[in-house]
Amino acid sequence: TSFTEIVQQIEVPAKVWAIAEVTPTLLGGNAPPEALFNVSELAVQHRYDPRHFVVLSGAGAYIVERTRPIKSLEDLLRQSRGTRTEDLARFFQRFGRVEGCAMCLVLATRWSAP
């Protein structure tokens, strides 16, 4: 098993005092059962709203949204317009064929567009 993470930096204009995660919810607003917290994030990412974090600094409070891999794939597919791109190839190299295919299946069978 390999683990993959994509990192993005944000600029906070003052010293950060605290960071806390907002309680995740299932799509539709219900709180998730505790059992889902012990499952791989890739396996349940399509059932949750994106994770949010509150960053408290000397300049104020900021809410940061963590981009899920499935959202990254959706954006890459929209940008590519059906052509094979280096970014898409890198995505599948990072997450592997099985996870990539599973995410494509979720995107193809969603009942509603975001």
Side-chain angles (χ1 to χ4, degrees):
T1 303
S2 64
F3 296 98
T4 299
E5 187 149 1
I6 301 169
V7 177
Q8 182 179 3
Q9 287 184 302
I10 61 166
E11 190 90 21
V12 177
K15 182 178 179 178
V16 173
W17 294 333
I19 300 173
E21 184 172 7
V22 177
T23 304
T25 58
L26 289 169
L27 290 174
N30 299 322
E34 286 293 321
L36 289 181
F37 287 112
N38 298 322
V39 177
S40 164
E41 182 181 15
L42 287 175
V44 295
Q45 66 180 325
H46 61 286
R47 296 196 59 206
Y48 287 101
D49 288 327
R51 292 171 69 186
H52 290 85
F53 298 86
V54 177
V55 179
L56 182 62
S57 77
Y62 300 87
I63 297 178
V64 180
E65 181 178 294
R66 183 173 185 274
T67 303
R68 299 170 295 169
I70 198 166
K71 176 63 175 149
S72 296
L73 177 59
E74 180 180 29
D75 292 344
L76 287 171
L77 289 169
R78 286 181 195 273
Q79 292 167 6
S80 72
R81 296 179 180 241
T83 61
R84 183 183 170 125
T85 65
E86 285 186 35
D87 289 337
L88 270 174
R90 268 195 300 275
F91 183 91
F92 279 88
Q93 286 171 348
R94 240 183 234 131
F95 289 97
R97 290 180 180 173
V98 173
E99 289 295 342
C101 182
M103 286 186 256
C104 284
L105 185 61
V106 168
L107 290 174
T109 59
R110 275 199 310 213
W111 58 270
S112 66

